[in-house]
Amino acid sequence: MNLPLIRRAHAPGAGTRLWDPEGVLVLALLLLLAAGILYPLLQVLSVAVAGDTGGFTLRHLVAFFRRPLFLESLLNTLATGFLAVLFGSMVGVPLAFLTVRHAFPGKAVLQTLGMLPLVIPPFVGAVAFQQILGRSGMVNLWLLETFGTTLPLMEGLTGVVLVQTLHYFPFIMVNTAAALAGVDPSLEEAAQNLGASGFRLFRRVLLPLALPGYAAGALITFIRVIDDLGTPLMLNYTKLLAPQAYLRVTTVGLTDVDGYVICVILVVLSVLALWGSKAALGLSEYAALQRSAEVEPRRLSGASALAAWLIAAALLGPALLPHVGIFLLSFSKVWSLSLLPTVYTLGNYEEILFRTTGFIWNTLRYALLAAAADVALGAAIAWLLLRGSVRGRGWLDVIATMPLAIPGVVLAVGYLRMFHGWNFPGLGEPLTATWLILVLAYAMRRLPYTVRSAYAALQQLPLALEEAAQNLGANRLRTFARVTAPLMARGLLAGGLIAFITSAVELSSTILLVPRIELGPLSYGIYVYMQSAVGRGPGAALGVVAIVLVGCGTWLAHRLAARGGAGSLFRL
Amino acid sequence: MSPKLSSEVRLEGVGKRYGEIWAVRDVTLTILPGEFFTLLGPSGCGKTTLLRMIAGFARPDAGRILVDGEPIDAVPPWKRDVGLVFQHYALWPHLTVYENVAFGLRERRLPRAEIAEKVSAALTQVGLEGLEARRPSQLSGGQQQRVALARTLAVQPRLLLLDEPLSNLDAQLRAQMRIELARLQRDLAITTIYVTHDQSEALALSNRVAVLQSGSVVEEGTPEDIYRRPRSRFAAEFVGAANLLPVQVVELRETGVLVEAVGGVRLPVPGDPVRWRTGARALLCLRPEALRIEEATLGRETGFFATVASRVFEGDRHIYEVKVGEGTLLRVELPALGEGRIFRLGDRVRVEFSAESAVLLPQS
Ligand SMILES: Nc1ncnc2c1ncn2[C@@H]1O[C@H](COP(=O)(O)OP(=O)(O)O)[C@@H](O)[C@H]1O
Ligand SMILES: [Mg+2]
């Protein structure tokens, strides 16, 4: 996220009063963000560096590097991040190149298919992959029958990397495609003119120019991968940092320093990656410096179009397997040690839609509340950043961006520590004992999306439209209500939808923060169902609900964003 | 629509600074009730900044602004009751024409029926009946301009500010809107501050004009004053075409001064003898239409000799360039009436002018 602070001529009338409403608003928002984001983070940090008697110590951090299990987890975490980026690039970059620079029948279909992996939450995908590629999944059963051998595709780290690669590569694809589309075609033509063509042209000209955009996509993928708690838990592989932090807190308890130290390491990794991606994007300006015209995409037909489709199918095919797997599983009564389910049923849907309805309703309630709060906060913060005049409002941007680099586990641990044993005023019990904590966590984690989309929407709005309203007698609040907000509506809604769908499938902090099982949302429900063999059917049915929810939301958000100026929603 | 009592505006030493640069500096002006006052100057001279300060969107860094004797610097824009028509119209795309025009009336909490009445009156005023249900994007540039005007007029502000309102229209529409604007302003008798970089608009529409240069007012007066008797080189050149002939003051007389131009020609011209001293270098401003050319053989002792360097026929007139002395070119416009003699390139001619039409200006 790159939000330059635009300085504007002051708003007259403000500043002459001792306290003005804008200053109060900035202060209130700063307090809220400090309490919801900064304070829990500081809690985690302070425990990690606090000595037994209170003073500052690095002893715990040093001790981290002496523990073989932790060291292994750190290396594994780095490995999953790097490998997911590497393999994700091998899938995403060719697809980006294929779709940006070539035109062929069915390209739009291909582009849509390319986004589908994002629609299935990674931990749901993990279950589906188990069913298809796991030890007793479809593929291995077939291999066993035919060749008498199996492939350990879903075992340990391999499984985690496989699932994450196939879930996250669209981030790399989308960012690379945007960067490629932004390369000045005259640079490419100049290179062709000098005799470079084909792969040499790609390697020597296009790749370096598209590199910053690609790097940003790769780094955001890295952040998400190391933050992902659901996938390793589903695959029962815990030698990674996020699951280790989770296990520490849930088994040893909130007083265990090691859990906090792991959290700090996670934050450091994320911050480094986020900083790297911002730096990379800063470099991208020279590539798009002077754009003269759109590149004419190369038309492919006949054999070459077929080749394009075959390449795309080979790259995309595996990523679309889990959709099929989860769909089959949701309708299966018995699917064990056989290629396909042996007994089909509607009972799984009956279970989640009519008997245990809490998961779905909880999800809708939490995610809607969080998204609504995010829309309001995002609009207010964007307005203050672009139209405000009070000093210190730049900090709103800084703090609201931080959740991008705070893993869900870390935020959850921070909340647990922060609210532990403190009866929240008006509730009579700690905030962490109520479902409100989930809404708070979702709202804070997804705030960057709405701030970003609101900012983009407001930035495109000519200032004169608001001044005209003031000129005709509308004060700043009325102007916001009658002109600014309606004109930002599409962008705001698009950001809100993204906040909604990503909250609806959030698991990293949910799993730590759910006070009681009946308060759990859909993602938690899937996790709980999947723990037992009989629960896999209903779990898969919930997974299908999640896919439908995310799919519709994404589609709608993109339609809104295309006309509302929210920019591409899956780019940094 | 009955006009409110229109207002008087006073700017007292108003200045606005952006960084190190004063976009507007030490502007002192009084605009009288009902007057059509124009701020004229090239792009970037601070016109918009001045209007924005009056409307309340920028705060003066020096001086103050008074409307009807009341300082308004502490009044927020929405309480100023000063109607600003934006250069790019700033119509709200999410509202219909009707809703755009009704906006300010709704802010004033008027009853629904009265709003409808005033909206339709304002739309009639600008000749836009029947388009109430359209969105701004479904209107032509000229129609958008009218909606913007109607939106402002509907609330009957005490002051009308127009920022280059015609600059986005094509030539034909511009001429038509110019006439309509003049009529509207006369009918409403509303104090109007009009901003433009087009001197012909300024001359045609205004009661008075202030010429701005780099944020300062260099000249102020009626259009005739500024055109006929500019007091600075900038105003002379910016308003209308001007021939500026370098001269030297050789003698101060009771009613004027005697100057010597290229080639030793001595010419008596009007000028305040107190402002000049003998030997001073100056510029003689001669409007092209105030010059005549005659055959060199004819004539008296006035004027000076020149050679025809170019001629362009523009239907109603001939535009000559004649060369005086060592390459000073003078522009001469002669009406193309049937009997007048037409000169050819290279002809030796005598340039004549009546002394009253010449203006002596300081050199810089
Ligand atoms: N918000 C601003 N920030 C910095 N400089 C400005 C701003 N607004 C205007 N200026 C500068 O002030 C000068 C006058 O601008 P303006 O009033 O828009 O001129 P005009 O309307 O006569 O073309 C210009 O040099 C312009 O660059
Ligand atoms: Mg301007």
Side-chain angles (χ1 to χ4, degrees):
Chain A
M1 186 141 96
N2 198 11
L3 303 182
L5 291 187
I6 292 186
R7 235 159 246 300
R8 192 179 75 80
H10 81 290
T16 49
R17 272 162 292 170
L18 217 50
W19 70 275
D20 75 315
E22 193 193 323
V24 175
L25 184 59
V26 169
L27 201 65
L29 285 172
L30 277 176
L31 283 176
L32 179 69
L33 295 191
I37 297 168
L38 221 45
Y39 190 68
L41 196 61
L42 288 178
Q43 281 278 327
V44 171
L45 189 65
S46 70
V47 175
V49 296
D52 297 333
T53 52
F56 173 83
T57 177
L58 287 177
R59 208 183 66 224
H60 306 304
L61 283 170
V62 174
F64 173 91
F65 291 97
R66 299 237 174 85
R67 295 275 293 275
L69 175 64
F70 290 168
L71 260 188
E72 193 188 346
S73 300
L74 173 61
L75 292 179
N76 282 340
T77 296
L78 290 173
T80 49
F82 282 123
L83 290 175
V85 167
L86 179 67
F87 295 132
S89 306
M90 286 162 59
V91 179
V93 173
L95 280 175
F97 187 71
L98 199 61
T99 49
V100 170
R101 288 304 159 95
H102 301 90
F104 48 89
K107 182 171 127 173
V109 177
L110 197 66
Q111 279 170 322
T112 312
L113 290 180
M115 297 302 290
L116 274 187
L118 288 180
V119 158
I120 188 163
F123 56 92
V124 176
V127 175
F129 273 118
Q130 281 283 35
Q131 202 64 40
I132 296 168
L133 300 175
R135 194 175 302 162
S136 50
M138 285 160 112
V139 172
N140 275 329
L141 283 180
W142 179 77
L143 285 176
L144 196 62
E145 274 175 26
T146 322
F147 301 104
T149 177
T150 59
L151 281 176
L153 285 173
M154 297 303 293
E155 306 303 312
L157 209 55
T158 324
V160 177
V161 171
L162 183 82
V163 171
Q164 289 176 332
T165 298
L166 291 178
H167 176 71
Y168 287 111
F169 80 85
F171 282 109
I172 296 177
M173 183 183 78
V174 171
N175 282 282
T176 309
L180 276 176
V183 171
D184 184 346
S186 66
L187 294 174
E188 202 176 331
E189 282 156 15
Q192 283 171 338
N193 185 252
L194 293 173
S197 69
F199 186 69
R200 273 183 68 78
L201 173 72
F202 176 73
R203 192 172 60 79
R204 297 204 43 201
V205 180
L206 280 180
L207 199 59
L209 287 175
L211 205 55
Y214 160 76
L219 287 162
I220 194 126
T221 303
F222 182 86
I223 294 176
R224 303 227 171 192
V225 168
I226 65 173
D227 177 21
D228 186 4
L229 175 59
T231 305
L233 285 186
M234 286 290 182
L235 298 179
N236 211 0
Y237 182 79
T238 55
K239 285 183 187 168
L240 290 165
L241 289 180
Q244 280 301 318
Y246 168 73
L247 288 178
R248 284 273 140 189
V249 173
T250 48
T251 57
V252 186
L254 272 177
T255 48
D256 174 52
V257 180
D258 290 331
Y260 296 89
V261 172
I262 298 171
C263 284
V264 169
I265 305 278
L266 271 174
V267 171
V268 169
L269 291 181
S270 301
V271 167
L272 283 179
L274 187 69
W275 174 77
S277 70
K278 277 198 155 190
L281 272 186
L283 291 177
S284 71
E285 269 148 37
Y286 78 97
L289 203 56
Q290 307 162 306
R291 297 213 47 200
S292 42
E294 285 293 315
V295 201
E296 182 76 10
R298 185 129 50 93
R299 296 223 137 263
L300 301 181
S301 56
S304 46
L306 190 66
W309 261 103
L310 286 177
I311 294 172
L315 294 172
L316 269 181
L320 299 177
L321 279 181
H323 302 70
V324 180
I326 209 75
F327 190 72
L328 281 178
L329 189 56
S330 76
F331 284 105
S332 74
K333 187 161 187 173
V334 182
W335 186 7
S336 166
L337 299 176
S338 60
L339 275 184
L340 288 172
T342 37
V343 183
Y344 290 92
T345 176
L346 285 174
N348 300 327
Y349 286 94
E350 210 180 335
E351 158 77 10
I352 60 150
L353 292 178
F354 300 109
R355 281 200 292 274
T356 318
T357 53
F359 292 128
I360 293 176
W361 288 121
N362 287 341
T363 296
L364 293 179
R365 180 167 38 148
Y366 305 163
L368 272 178
L369 280 174
D374 277 346
V375 165
L377 289 173
I381 291 173
W383 187 87
L384 286 168
L385 290 176
L386 283 168
R387 303 286 195 249
S389 56
V390 172
R391 270 158 179 262
R393 65 198 203 285
W395 284 104
L396 289 173
D397 179 27
V398 174
I399 305 178
T401 309
M402 289 170 80
L404 287 179
I406 306 178
V409 187
V410 178
L411 195 69
V413 170
Y415 283 157
L416 288 176
R417 166 105 195 158
M418 175 176 163
F419 293 111
H420 180 71
W422 174 54
N423 284 348
F424 200 79
L427 290 178
E429 53 185 341
L431 201 60
T432 39
T434 70
W435 56 268
L436 287 172
I437 191 67
L438 290 167
V439 176
L440 179 67
Y442 297 160
M444 290 303 139
R445 288 207 74 196
R446 307 313 185 203
L447 185 57
Y449 296 129
T450 54
V451 171
R452 179 189 147 78
S453 60
Y455 190 94
L458 185 55
Q459 206 172 24
Q460 293 189 344
L461 210 61
L463 190 58
L465 292 180
E466 287 155 80
E467 289 179 345
Q470 299 192 350
N471 183 252
L472 289 173
N475 64 24
R476 290 205 281 170
L477 196 61
R478 298 276 304 163
T479 300
F480 186 81
R482 290 190 70 187
V483 173
T484 320
L487 288 173
M488 286 169 73
R490 281 173 178 283
L492 281 177
L493 214 55
L497 268 168
I498 294 296
F500 172 77
I501 57 181
T502 49
S503 296
V505 295
E506 209 275 0
L507 189 59
S508 297
S509 57
T510 304
I511 205 170
L512 275 165
L513 290 176
V514 169
R516 292 186 300 281
I517 186 164
E518 64 273 18
L519 294 179
L522 194 147
S523 56
Y524 191 74
I526 297 174
Y527 177 70
V528 171
Y529 273 126
M530 291 302 177
Q531 301 302 311
S532 68
V534 286
R536 290 194 314 172
L542 274 183
V544 171
V545 172
I547 293 171
V548 170
L549 213 57
V550 175
C552 294
T554 309
W555 178 76
L556 213 62
H558 273 272
R559 284 205 41 164
L560 287 170
R563 290 203 279 153
S568 180
L569 299 162
F570 289 108
R571 286 166 58 198
L572 186 65
Chain B
M1 215 173 277
S2 63
K4 275 190 210 169
L5 214 55
S6 56
S7 295
E8 178 200 79
V9 182
R10 276 224 321 275
L11 306 176
E12 294 181 349
V14 170
K16 175 78 197 170
R17 195 177 56 196
Y18 287 118
E20 289 297 292
I21 296 161
W22 287 89
V24 169
R25 97 185 80 187
D26 196 22
V27 169
T28 299
L29 292 169
T30 301
I31 295 128
L32 302 172
E35 193 172 28
F36 195 118
F37 192 93
T38 296
L39 298 169
L40 172 66
S43 161
C45 72
K47 307 180 296 289
T48 298
T49 305
L50 254 176
L51 276 199
R52 290 174 59 81
M53 284 192 282
I54 300 172
F57 296 122
R59 179 194 293 272
D61 295 312
R64 57 179 193 158
I65 301 170
L66 301 95
V67 176
D68 293 329
E70 302 273 333
I72 56 167
D73 295 318
V75 182
W78 49 91
K79 293 200 182 134
R80 289 199 180 191
D81 193 22
V82 156
L84 172 60
V85 177
F86 289 79
Q87 184 169 0
H88 300 285
Y89 317 144
L91 297 180
W92 298 297
H94 63 304
L95 302 180
T96 62
V97 167
Y98 182 93
E99 290 164 336
N100 264 280
V101 179
F103 189 99
L105 301 167
R106 278 188 54 193
E107 283 307 314
R108 283 162 178 70
R109 303 285 188 309
L110 297 184
R112 196 174 285 268
E114 197 180 336
I115 292 181
E117 204 173 293
K118 291 197 172 204
V119 169
S120 99
L123 286 173
T124 309
Q125 235 165 18
V126 298
L128 260 193
E129 304 93 333
L131 299 179
E132 285 84 351
R134 295 237 191 132
R135 302 254 167 190
S137 57
Q138 298 169 308
L139 300 178
S140 70
Q143 289 170 326
Q144 291 181 16
Q145 164 73 263
R146 287 160 197 264
V147 176
L149 198 57
R151 182 174 73 177
T152 301
L153 292 178
V155 298
Q156 294 168 285
R158 52 182 174 163
L159 202 63
L160 182 62
L161 311 176
L162 300 163
D163 192 355
E164 311 225 12
L166 306 184
S167 64
N168 292 311
L169 305 179
D170 60 48
Q172 207 176 347
L173 209 51
R174 192 151 55 213
Q176 185 190 341
M177 275 304 284
R178 192 198 271 191
I179 295 168
E180 286 186 37
L181 266 180
R183 175 186 56 78
L184 257 177
Q185 199 272 338
R186 227 179 19 247
D187 289 353
L188 297 174
I190 182 174
T191 312
T192 300
I193 303 181
Y194 184 97
V195 156
T196 183
H197 65 265
D198 181 333
Q199 47 99 13
S200 68
E201 269 172 32
L203 296 179
L205 287 165
S206 323
N207 297 120
R208 277 192 307 144
V209 178
V211 180
L212 272 88
Q213 181 190 13
S214 327
S216 305
V217 174
V218 289
E219 209 148 333
E220 187 196 338
T222 63
E224 291 81 5
D225 269 347
I226 289 185
Y227 187 79
R228 297 240 177 85
R229 283 173 295 280
R231 285 189 302 276
S232 66
R233 175 180 185 159
F234 180 80
E237 286 189 310
F238 194 73
V239 182
N243 293 303
L244 296 173
L245 198 65
V247 294
Q248 190 167 21
V249 177
V250 290
E251 191 187 323
L252 302 178
R253 294 179 172 173
E254 244 167 72
T255 55
V257 292
L258 187 70
V259 298
E260 187 176 295
V262 277
V265 187
R266 296 194 162 203
L267 309 157
V269 293
D272 183 357
V274 186
R275 283 178 59 209
W276 300 99
R277 46 178 193 80
T278 318
R281 303 209 157 271
L283 292 168
L284 193 62
C285 170
L286 300 162
R287 295 294 184 192
E289 70 280 4
L291 296 176
R292 295 181 307 280
I293 48 184
E294 290 167 5
E295 279 171 64
T297 49
L298 292 167
R300 310 165 312 255
E301 296 300 302
T302 59
F304 30 83
F305 289 106
T307 315
V308 175
S310 76
R311 178 178 66 85
V312 174
F313 175 57
E314 286 202 343
D316 57 340
R317 61 203 167 146
H318 296 282
I319 298 173
Y320 290 96
E321 274 186 328
V322 299
K323 194 154 122 189
V324 184
E326 294 303 303
T328 305
L329 284 173
L330 294 182
R331 181 185 162 101
V332 183
E333 291 182 16
L334 296 179
L337 302 173
E339 68 273 20
R341 148 126 210 236
I342 294 171
F343 298 93
R344 281 189 301 274
L345 294 195
D347 282 357
R348 283 292 285 172
V349 294
R350 174 185 288 280
V351 180
E352 295 275 357
F353 59 94
S354 71
E356 303 86 71
S357 67
V359 181
L360 199 59
L361 298 171
Q363 193 150 30
S364 56

